[in-house]
Coordinates of all heavy atoms in Angstrom, one line a residue:
M241 N -86.4 -20.4 81.2 CA -85.9 -21.0 80.0 C -87.1 -22.0 79.5 O -87.5 -23.0 80.4 CB -84.7 -21.6 80.1 CG -84.3 -22.3 78.7 SD -82.5 -22.8 78.7 CE -82.7 -24.5 79.0
V242 N -87.7 -21.9 78.3 CA -88.7 -22.7 77.9 C -87.9 -24.0 77.2 O -87.1 -23.7 76.4 CB -89.6 -22.0 76.9 CG1 -90.6 -23.0 76.3 CG2 -90.4 -20.8 77.6
R243 N -88.4 -25.1 77.5 CA -87.8 -26.3 76.9 C -88.7 -26.7 75.8 O -89.9 -27.1 76.1 CB -87.6 -27.4 77.8 CG -86.7 -28.6 77.3 CD -86.2 -29.5 78.3 NE -85.4 -30.4 77.5 CZ -84.7 -31.4 78.0 NH1 -84.8 -31.5 79.4 NH2 -84.1 -32.2 77.4
H244 N -88.3 -26.9 74.6 CA -89.1 -27.3 73.5 C -89.2 -28.8 73.4 O -88.2 -29.5 73.8 CB -88.6 -26.9 72.2 CG -88.5 -25.3 72.0 ND1 -89.7 -24.6 71.7 CD2 -87.5 -24.5 72.2 CE1 -89.3 -23.3 71.7 NE2 -88.1 -23.2 72.0
P245 N -90.4 -29.4 73.1 CA -90.4 -30.8 73.1 C -89.4 -31.5 72.1 O -89.1 -30.9 71.1 CB -91.9 -31.1 72.6 CG -92.6 -29.8 72.7 CD -91.5 -28.6 72.8
L246 N -89.0 -32.7 72.4 CA -88.2 -33.2 71.6 C -88.9 -33.9 70.3 O -90.0 -34.3 70.4 CB -87.4 -34.4 72.2 CG -86.6 -34.1 73.4 CD1 -85.9 -35.4 74.1 CD2 -85.4 -33.1 72.9
A247 N -88.1 -33.9 69.2 CA -88.7 -34.4 67.9 C -88.7 -36.0 68.1 O -87.9 -36.4 68.8 CB -87.9 -34.0 66.7
P248 N -89.6 -36.6 67.5 CA -89.6 -38.2 67.4 C -88.2 -38.7 67.0 O -87.8 -39.7 67.7 CB -90.7 -38.5 66.5 CG -91.5 -37.5 66.3 CD -90.7 -36.1 66.5
E249 N -87.4 -38.1 66.2 CA -86.2 -38.6 65.9 C -85.3 -38.5 67.1 O -84.3 -39.4 67.2 CB -85.5 -37.8 64.5 CG -86.4 -37.9 63.4 CD -87.7 -36.9 63.3 OE1 -87.7 -35.9 64.1 OE2 -88.5 -37.3 62.5
Q250 N -85.3 -37.6 67.8 CA -84.4 -37.4 68.9 C -84.8 -38.3 69.9 O -83.9 -38.9 70.7 CB -84.6 -35.9 69.5 CG -84.0 -34.8 68.6 CD -84.3 -33.5 69.1 OE1 -85.4 -33.2 69.4 NE2 -83.3 -32.6 69.4
I251 N -86.0 -38.6 70.2 CA -86.4 -39.6 71.2 C -86.0 -40.9 70.7 O -85.4 -41.8 71.5 CB -88.0 -39.6 71.3 CG1 -88.5 -38.3 71.8 CG2 -88.5 -40.8 72.1 CD1 -89.9 -38.1 71.9
E252 N -86.1 -41.4 69.4 CA -85.7 -42.5 69.0 C -84.1 -42.6 69.0 O -83.5 -43.8 69.4 CB -86.1 -42.8 67.4 CG -85.5 -44.1 66.9 CD -86.1 -45.3 67.7 OE1 -87.2 -45.3 68.3 OE2 -85.3 -46.3 67.8
A253 N -83.4 -41.7 68.7 CA -81.8 -41.6 68.9 C -81.6 -41.8 70.3 O -80.6 -42.4 70.6 CB -81.3 -40.2 68.4
G254 N -82.4 -41.4 71.3 CA -82.0 -41.6 72.8 C -82.2 -43.0 73.1 O -81.5 -43.5 73.9
R255 N -83.1 -43.5 72.4 CA -83.4 -45.0 72.7 C -82.3 -45.9 72.2 O -81.8 -46.9 72.8 CB -84.8 -45.4 72.0 CG -86.0 -44.9 72.8 CD -87.2 -45.5 72.3 NE -88.3 -44.9 72.9 CZ -89.4 -44.4 72.3 NH1 -89.5 -44.4 70.9 NH2 -90.3 -43.8 73.0
R256 N -81.7 -45.5 71.0 CA -80.6 -46.3 70.4 C -79.5 -46.1 71.3 O -78.7 -47.1 71.6 CB -80.4 -45.8 69.1 CG -81.3 -46.2 68.0 CD -80.9 -45.9 66.5 NE -80.5 -44.7 66.3 CZ -81.1 -43.7 65.9 NH1 -82.5 -43.9 65.8 NH2 -80.8 -42.4 65.7
L257 N -79.2 -44.8 71.8 CA -77.9 -44.7 72.7 C -78.2 -45.5 74.0 O -77.2 -46.1 74.3 CB -77.9 -43.1 72.9 CG -76.8 -42.7 73.8 CD1 -75.5 -43.0 73.3 CD2 -77.0 -41.3 74.2
G258 N -79.3 -45.5 74.5 CA -79.4 -46.2 75.6 C -79.2 -47.7 75.5 O -78.6 -48.3 76.4
A259 N -79.7 -48.2 74.4 CA -79.5 -49.6 74.1 C -78.0 -49.9 73.9 O -77.6 -51.0 74.4 CB -80.4 -50.1 73.0
A260 N -77.3 -49.0 73.3 CA -75.8 -49.3 73.1 C -75.2 -49.2 74.4 O -74.2 -50.1 74.5 CB -75.4 -48.3 72.1
L261 N -75.6 -48.4 75.3 CA -74.8 -48.3 76.7 C -75.2 -49.5 77.5 O -74.3 -50.1 78.1 CB -75.3 -47.0 77.3 CG -74.8 -45.7 76.7 CD1 -75.3 -44.6 77.3 CD2 -73.2 -45.6 76.8
R262 N -76.4 -49.9 77.4 CA -76.9 -51.1 78.1 C -76.1 -52.3 77.6 O -75.6 -53.2 78.5 CB -78.4 -51.3 77.9 CG -79.0 -52.3 79.0 CD -80.5 -52.3 78.9 NE -81.1 -52.3 77.6 CZ -81.6 -51.2 77.1 NH1 -81.8 -50.0 77.7 NH2 -82.3 -51.2 75.9
T263 N -75.9 -52.5 76.4 CA -75.2 -53.5 75.8 C -73.7 -53.4 76.2 O -73.1 -54.6 76.6 CB -75.2 -53.6 74.2 OG1 -76.5 -53.7 73.8 CG2 -74.4 -54.7 73.6
A264 N -73.1 -52.3 76.1 CA -71.7 -52.2 76.6 C -71.6 -52.4 78.0 O -70.4 -52.8 78.4 CB -71.3 -50.8 76.2
R265 N -72.6 -52.2 78.8 CA -72.4 -52.4 80.3 C -72.3 -54.0 80.5 O -71.9 -54.3 81.6 CB -73.6 -51.8 80.9 CG -73.5 -52.0 82.5 CD -74.6 -51.2 83.1 NE -75.9 -51.3 82.8 CZ -76.7 -52.2 83.3 NH1 -76.3 -53.2 83.9 NH2 -77.9 -52.4 82.7
A266 N -72.9 -54.7 79.7 CA -72.8 -56.2 79.7 C -73.2 -56.6 81.2 O -74.3 -56.3 81.7 CB -71.6 -56.8 79.2
G267 N -72.3 -57.4 81.8 CA -72.6 -58.1 83.1 C -72.3 -57.0 84.3 O -72.4 -57.5 85.4
R268 N -72.0 -55.8 84.1 CA -71.6 -55.0 85.1 C -72.9 -54.4 85.7 O -73.9 -54.1 84.9 CB -70.7 -53.7 84.6 CG -69.3 -54.3 84.3 CD -68.4 -53.2 83.6 NE -68.0 -52.2 84.6 CZ -67.4 -51.1 84.3 NH1 -67.0 -50.9 83.1 NH2 -67.1 -50.2 85.2
S269 N -72.9 -54.2 87.0 CA -74.2 -53.6 87.5 C -74.3 -52.1 87.3 O -73.3 -51.3 87.0 CB -74.3 -53.9 89.1 OG -73.4 -52.9 89.7
P270 N -75.6 -51.7 87.1 CA -75.7 -50.2 86.8 C -75.2 -49.3 87.9 O -74.6 -48.3 87.8 CB -77.3 -50.1 86.9 CG -77.8 -51.4 86.7 CD -76.9 -52.3 87.1
V271 N -75.2 -49.9 89.2 CA -74.7 -49.1 90.3 C -73.1 -48.9 90.2 O -72.6 -47.8 90.4 CB -75.1 -49.7 91.6 CG1 -74.3 -49.0 92.8 CG2 -76.4 -49.7 91.9
E272 N -72.4 -50.0 89.8 CA -71.0 -50.0 89.6 C -70.6 -48.9 88.4 O -69.7 -48.2 88.7 CB -70.5 -51.3 89.2 CG -69.1 -51.4 88.9 CD -68.7 -52.7 88.3 OE1 -69.5 -53.7 88.4 OE2 -67.6 -53.0 87.6
V273 N -71.3 -49.0 87.3 CA -71.1 -48.2 86.2 C -71.4 -46.7 86.6 O -70.5 -45.9 86.2 CB -71.8 -48.6 84.9 CG1 -71.7 -47.7 83.8 CG2 -71.3 -50.1 84.4
A274 N -72.5 -46.5 87.2 CA -72.9 -45.2 87.4 C -72.0 -44.5 88.4 O -71.4 -43.4 88.3 CB -74.2 -45.2 88.1
S275 N -71.4 -45.3 89.4 CA -70.6 -44.7 90.3 C -69.2 -44.3 89.8 O -68.6 -43.4 90.0 CB -70.4 -45.9 91.5 OG -69.3 -45.4 92.4
A276 N -68.9 -45.4 88.8 CA -67.4 -45.1 88.3 C -67.6 -43.8 87.2 O -66.6 -43.0 87.1 CB -67.0 -46.2 87.3
A277 N -68.7 -43.5 86.7 CA -69.0 -42.4 85.8 C -69.4 -41.1 86.6 O -69.6 -40.1 86.0 CB -70.1 -42.8 84.7
E278 N -69.5 -41.3 87.9 CA -69.9 -40.2 88.6 C -71.2 -39.6 88.5 O -71.4 -38.4 88.4 CB -68.8 -39.1 88.8 CG -67.6 -39.6 89.2 CD -66.4 -38.6 89.3 OE1 -66.6 -37.6 88.7 OE2 -65.3 -38.9 89.6
I279 N -72.2 -40.5 88.1 CA -73.6 -40.1 88.0 C -74.4 -41.0 88.8 O -74.0 -42.0 89.4 CB -74.1 -40.3 86.5 CG1 -73.9 -41.9 86.0 CG2 -73.2 -39.4 85.5 CD1 -74.6 -42.0 84.7
S280 N -75.7 -40.7 89.1 CA -76.6 -41.6 89.9 C -77.0 -42.7 89.1 O -77.1 -42.6 87.7 CB -77.7 -40.7 90.3 OG -78.6 -40.6 89.3
P281 N -77.4 -43.8 89.8 CA -77.9 -44.9 89.1 C -79.2 -44.7 88.4 O -79.4 -45.2 87.3 CB -78.0 -46.0 90.2 CG -77.1 -45.6 91.3 CD -77.0 -44.2 91.2
E282 N -79.9 -43.8 88.9 CA -81.3 -43.4 88.3 C -81.0 -42.8 87.0 O -81.7 -42.9 86.0 CB -82.1 -42.6 89.3 CG -83.5 -42.2 88.7 CD -84.3 -43.3 88.3 OE1 -84.2 -44.4 88.9 OE2 -85.2 -43.1 87.5
T283 N -80.1 -41.8 86.9 CA -79.6 -41.2 85.6 C -79.2 -42.2 84.6 O -79.7 -42.1 83.5 CB -78.5 -40.3 85.9 OG1 -79.1 -39.1 86.7 CG2 -78.1 -39.6 84.6
L284 N -78.3 -43.3 85.0 CA -78.1 -44.3 84.1 C -79.2 -45.1 83.6 O -79.4 -45.3 82.4 CB -76.9 -45.2 84.8 CG -76.5 -46.3 83.8 CD1 -75.9 -45.9 82.6 CD2 -75.6 -47.2 84.5
R285 N -80.2 -45.3 84.5 CA -81.4 -46.1 84.2 C -82.1 -45.3 83.3 O -82.7 -45.9 82.2 CB -82.2 -46.4 85.4 CG -81.7 -47.6 86.1 CD -82.9 -48.0 87.2 NE -82.6 -48.2 88.6 CZ -81.6 -48.0 89.4 NH1 -80.6 -47.5 88.8 NH2 -81.7 -48.1 90.6
K286 N -82.3 -44.1 83.4 CA -83.2 -43.1 82.6 C -82.5 -43.2 81.0 O -83.2 -43.2 80.1 CB -83.2 -41.7 83.0 CG -84.2 -41.6 84.2 CD -84.3 -40.2 84.8 CE -85.2 -40.1 85.9 NZ -85.3 -38.6 86.4
I287 N -81.2 -43.0 80.9 CA -80.5 -43.0 79.7 C -80.7 -44.4 79.0 O -81.0 -44.3 77.9 CB -78.9 -42.7 79.9 CG1 -78.8 -41.3 80.5 CG2 -78.3 -42.8 78.6 CD1 -77.4 -40.9 81.0
E288 N -80.4 -45.4 79.9 CA -80.6 -46.7 79.1 C -81.9 -47.0 78.7 O -82.2 -47.9 77.8 CB -80.1 -47.8 80.1 CG -78.6 -47.9 80.4 CD -78.1 -49.0 81.2 OE1 -78.9 -49.7 81.8 OE2 -76.8 -49.3 81.2
T289 N -82.9 -46.7 79.4 CA -84.3 -46.9 78.9 C -84.8 -45.9 77.9 O -85.9 -46.0 77.5 CB -85.3 -47.0 80.1 OG1 -85.2 -45.7 80.9 CG2 -84.8 -48.1 81.1
G290 N -84.1 -44.9 77.7 CA -84.5 -43.9 76.7 C -85.5 -42.8 77.3 O -86.0 -41.9 76.5
R291 N -85.5 -42.8 78.6 CA -86.4 -41.7 79.3 C -85.5 -40.5 79.2 O -86.3 -39.4 79.7 CB -86.9 -42.1 80.6 CG -87.9 -43.3 80.6 CD -88.3 -43.7 81.9 NE -87.6 -43.1 83.0 CZ -87.3 -44.0 84.1 NH1 -87.5 -45.2 84.2 NH2 -86.6 -43.5 85.1
M292 N -84.3 -40.6 79.1 CA -83.4 -39.3 79.0 C -82.8 -39.3 77.7 O -81.5 -39.7 77.6 CB -82.5 -39.3 80.1 CG -81.8 -37.9 80.2 SD -80.4 -38.0 81.7 CE -81.5 -37.9 83.1
P293 N -83.4 -39.0 76.6 CA -82.8 -39.1 75.3 C -81.8 -38.2 75.0 O -81.0 -38.4 73.9 CB -84.0 -39.0 74.3 CG -85.0 -38.2 75.1 CD -84.8 -38.5 76.6
T294 N -81.5 -37.1 75.6 CA -80.5 -36.0 75.3 C -79.7 -35.7 76.6 O -79.8 -34.7 77.1 CB -81.1 -34.8 74.8 OG1 -82.0 -34.2 75.7 CG2 -81.8 -35.0 73.5
P295 N -78.9 -36.7 77.2 CA -78.2 -36.6 78.4 C -77.0 -35.5 78.0 O -76.7 -35.3 76.9 CB -77.5 -38.0 78.6 CG -77.7 -38.8 77.3 CD -78.8 -38.1 76.5
A296 N -76.5 -35.0 79.1 CA -75.4 -34.0 79.0 C -74.2 -34.7 78.3 O -74.0 -35.8 78.6 CB -75.0 -33.5 80.3
F297 N -73.5 -33.8 77.7 CA -72.3 -34.2 77.0 C -71.3 -34.9 77.9 O -70.8 -36.0 77.6 CB -71.7 -33.3 76.1 CG -70.4 -33.5 75.4 CD1 -70.5 -34.5 74.2 CD2 -69.2 -33.2 75.8 CE1 -69.3 -34.7 73.6 CE2 -68.1 -33.4 75.1 CZ -68.2 -34.2 74.0
G298 N -71.1 -34.2 79.0 CA -70.1 -34.7 80.0 C -70.4 -36.1 80.5 O -69.5 -36.8 80.7
T299 N -71.8 -36.3 80.7 CA -72.1 -37.6 81.2 C -71.9 -38.8 80.1 O -71.4 -39.7 80.4 CB -73.8 -37.6 81.4 OG1 -74.0 -36.6 82.3 CG2 -74.4 -39.0 81.8
I300 N -72.0 -38.6 78.8 CA -71.8 -39.4 77.8 C -70.3 -39.6 77.7 O -69.9 -40.8 77.5 CB -72.4 -39.0 76.4 CG1 -73.9 -39.0 76.5 CG2 -72.0 -40.0 75.3 CD1 -74.5 -40.3 77.0
V301 N -69.6 -38.6 77.9 CA -68.0 -38.7 77.9 C -67.6 -39.7 78.9 O -66.8 -40.6 78.7 CB -67.3 -37.3 78.0 CG1 -65.8 -37.6 78.2 CG2 -67.6 -36.6 76.7
R302 N -68.2 -39.5 80.2 CA -67.8 -40.3 81.4 C -68.2 -41.8 81.0 O -67.5 -42.7 81.4 CB -68.3 -39.7 82.6 CG -67.6 -38.4 83.0 CD -67.9 -38.1 84.5 NE -69.3 -37.7 84.6 CZ -70.0 -36.7 84.4 NH1 -69.4 -35.6 84.0 NH2 -71.3 -36.5 84.6
L303 N -69.4 -41.9 80.6 CA -69.9 -43.4 80.3 C -69.1 -44.0 79.2 O -68.6 -45.2 79.3 CB -71.4 -43.3 80.0 CG -72.4 -43.1 81.1 CD1 -73.7 -42.8 80.5 CD2 -72.2 -44.2 82.1
S304 N -68.7 -43.2 78.3 CA -67.8 -43.7 77.2 C -66.4 -44.3 77.8 O -66.1 -45.4 77.5 CB -67.5 -42.6 76.1 OG -66.5 -43.0 75.3
E305 N -65.9 -43.4 78.7 CA -64.6 -43.9 79.3 C -64.8 -45.1 80.1 O -64.0 -46.0 80.0 CB -64.1 -42.7 80.0 CG -63.6 -41.5 79.2 CD -63.3 -40.3 79.9 OE1 -63.7 -40.3 81.2 OE2 -62.6 -39.4 79.3
V306 N -65.8 -45.1 81.0 CA -66.0 -46.2 82.0 C -66.3 -47.4 81.2 O -65.9 -48.4 81.6 CB -67.1 -45.8 82.8 CG1 -67.6 -47.0 83.7 CG2 -66.7 -44.7 83.9
L307 N -67.1 -47.3 80.1 CA -67.5 -48.5 79.4 C -66.5 -49.0 78.3 O -66.6 -50.1 77.8 CB -69.0 -48.4 78.8 CG -70.1 -48.1 79.9 CD1 -71.3 -47.9 79.1 CD2 -70.2 -49.5 80.7
G308 N -65.5 -48.1 78.1 CA -64.6 -48.6 77.0 C -65.2 -48.5 75.6 O -64.7 -49.2 74.7
V309 N -66.1 -47.6 75.4 CA -66.7 -47.4 74.1 C -66.3 -46.1 73.5 O -66.4 -45.0 74.2 CB -68.3 -47.3 74.1 CG1 -68.9 -47.3 72.7 CG2 -68.7 -48.7 74.7
P310 N -65.6 -46.0 72.4 CA -65.2 -44.9 71.9 C -66.4 -43.8 71.6 O -67.5 -44.2 71.2 CB -64.6 -45.1 70.5 CG -64.3 -46.6 70.5 CD -65.2 -47.1 71.6
L311 N -66.1 -42.6 71.9 CA -67.1 -41.6 71.8 C -67.6 -41.4 70.4 O -68.8 -41.2 70.3 CB -66.5 -40.3 72.4 CG -67.4 -39.2 72.6 CD1 -68.7 -39.6 73.7 CD2 -66.8 -37.9 73.2
P312 N -66.8 -41.4 69.4 CA -67.4 -41.4 68.1 C -68.3 -42.5 67.8 O -69.3 -42.3 67.1 CB -66.1 -41.4 67.2 CG -65.0 -40.9 68.0 CD -65.3 -41.5 69.4
E313 N -68.1 -43.6 68.4 CA -69.0 -44.7 68.2 C -70.5 -44.6 68.8 O -71.5 -44.7 68.2 CB -68.4 -46.1 68.8 CG -69.3 -47.3 68.6 CD -68.6 -48.5 69.1 OE1 -67.4 -48.8 68.9 OE2 -69.3 -49.4 69.7
L314 N -70.5 -44.0 70.1 CA -71.7 -43.5 70.6 C -72.4 -42.5 69.8 O -73.6 -42.5 69.6 CB -71.5 -43.2 72.1 CG -71.0 -44.2 73.0 CD1 -70.8 -43.7 74.4 CD2 -72.0 -45.3 73.0
A315 N -71.6 -41.5 69.4 CA -72.2 -40.4 68.5 C -72.9 -41.0 67.2 O -73.8 -40.6 66.7 CB -71.1 -39.4 68.1
S316 N -72.1 -42.1 66.6 CA -72.6 -42.6 65.4 C -74.1 -43.4 65.7 O -74.9 -43.2 65.0 CB -71.6 -43.7 64.9 OG -72.1 -44.2 63.7
V317 N -74.1 -44.1 66.9 CA -75.3 -44.7 67.2 C -76.4 -43.7 67.4 O -77.6 -43.9 66.9 CB -75.1 -45.3 68.5 CG1 -76.4 -45.9 69.2 CG2 -74.2 -46.6 68.4
W318 N -76.2 -42.6 68.0 CA -77.1 -41.6 68.3 C -77.7 -40.9 66.8 O -78.7 -40.7 66.7 CB -76.6 -40.4 69.1 CG -77.7 -39.5 69.8 CD1 -78.4 -39.8 70.8 CD2 -78.2 -38.4 69.2 NE1 -79.3 -38.7 71.1 CE2 -79.2 -37.9 70.0 CE3 -77.9 -37.6 67.9 CZ2 -80.0 -36.7 69.7 CZ3 -78.7 -36.5 67.8 CH2 -79.7 -36.0 68.7
R319 N -76.6 -40.8 66.0 CA -77.0 -40.2 64.7 C -77.7 -41.1 63.7 O -78.3 -40.6 62.8 CB -75.7 -39.4 64.0 CG -75.4 -38.2 64.5 CD -74.3 -37.6 63.7 NE -73.2 -38.4 63.4 CZ -71.9 -38.4 64.1 NH1 -71.7 -37.5 64.8 NH2 -71.1 -39.3 63.8
T320 N -77.4 -42.3 63.8 CA -77.9 -43.3 62.7 C -79.5 -43.3 62.7 O -80.1 -43.5 63.7 CB -77.5 -44.7 63.1 OG1 -75.9 -44.7 63.2 CG2 -77.9 -45.7 62.1
D321 N -80.1 -43.3 61.6 CA -81.4 -43.3 61.4 C -81.7 -44.6 60.7 O -81.4 -44.9 59.6 CB -81.9 -42.2 60.3 CG -83.4 -42.2 60.2 OD1 -84.1 -43.2 60.7 OD2 -84.1 -41.2 59.8
P322 N -82.3 -45.5 61.5 CA -82.6 -46.8 61.0 C -83.5 -46.9 59.8 O -83.3 -47.9 58.9 CB -83.3 -47.6 62.1 CG -83.5 -46.7 63.3 CD -82.8 -45.3 62.9
A323 N -84.2 -46.0 59.6 CA -85.1 -45.9 58.3 C -84.3 -45.7 57.1 O -84.4 -46.4 56.1 CB -86.2 -44.8 58.4
L324 N -83.1 -44.9 57.3 CA -82.3 -44.7 56.2 C -81.4 -45.9 55.9 O -81.3 -46.3 54.8 CB -81.3 -43.5 56.5 CG -82.0 -42.2 56.6 CD1 -81.0 -41.1 56.9 CD2 -82.7 -41.7 55.2
S325 N -81.1 -46.6 57.0 CA -80.1 -47.9 56.8 C -81.1 -49.0 56.3 O -80.6 -49.6 55.4 CB -79.8 -48.4 58.3 OG -79.0 -47.4 58.8
A326 N -82.3 -49.0 56.5 CA -83.2 -50.0 55.9 C -83.5 -49.8 54.4 O -83.6 -50.8 53.8 CB -84.5 -50.2 56.6
A327 N -83.5 -48.5 54.1 CA -83.8 -48.3 52.6 C -82.5 -48.5 51.8 O -82.6 -48.6 50.5 CB -84.0 -46.8 52.6
S328 N -81.2 -48.6 52.3 CA -80.1 -49.0 51.6 C -80.1 -50.4 51.0 O -80.5 -51.3 51.5 CB -79.0 -48.7 52.5 OG -78.9 -47.4 53.0

């Protein structure tokens, strides 16, 4: 299977998602959150730093549950285009 490169908008969306997850994690350690979400700490680090801009849906569902952030809120963060918000 050939994987197509991500568009710049997708990369930026991943960065926003990662930042939102990092903020929601607050004082909890990455190891604690990753363990509760049943993912590796390295996967969580990659998501939070934007190095994994399109994580698996199940991963986001588990992080949403563990962090207490509604899934629609995370979806909104991923979809939001800051350029459009700034123009409003």
Side-chain angles (χ1 to χ4, degrees):
M241 181 167 105
V242 175
R243 185 166 186 181
H244 299 285
L246 296 175
E249 297 81 16
Q250 291 173 303
I251 293 169
E252 183 54 37
R255 288 185 183 130
R256 288 192 306 274
L257 177 63
L261 291 171
R262 195 170 42 255
T263 298
R265 183 167 55 79
R268 294 173 69 182
S269 79
V271 172
E272 174 189 348
V273 171
S275 177
E278 300 178 353
I279 62 173
S280 73
E282 182 58 22
T283 296
L284 180 58
R285 279 195 244 346
K286 286 179 181 177
I287 294 169
E288 286 187 351
T289 60
R291 290 185 346 228
M292 186 184 288
T294 57
F297 179 71
T299 299
I300 296 305
V301 168
R302 287 190 304 272
L303 286 170
S304 168
E305 292 170 347
V306 167
L307 295 171
V309 179
L311 194 54
E313 185 177 318
L314 293 177
S316 178
V317 166
W318 196 88
R319 280 192 305 255
T320 301
D321 184 345
L324 296 176
S325 298
S328 303

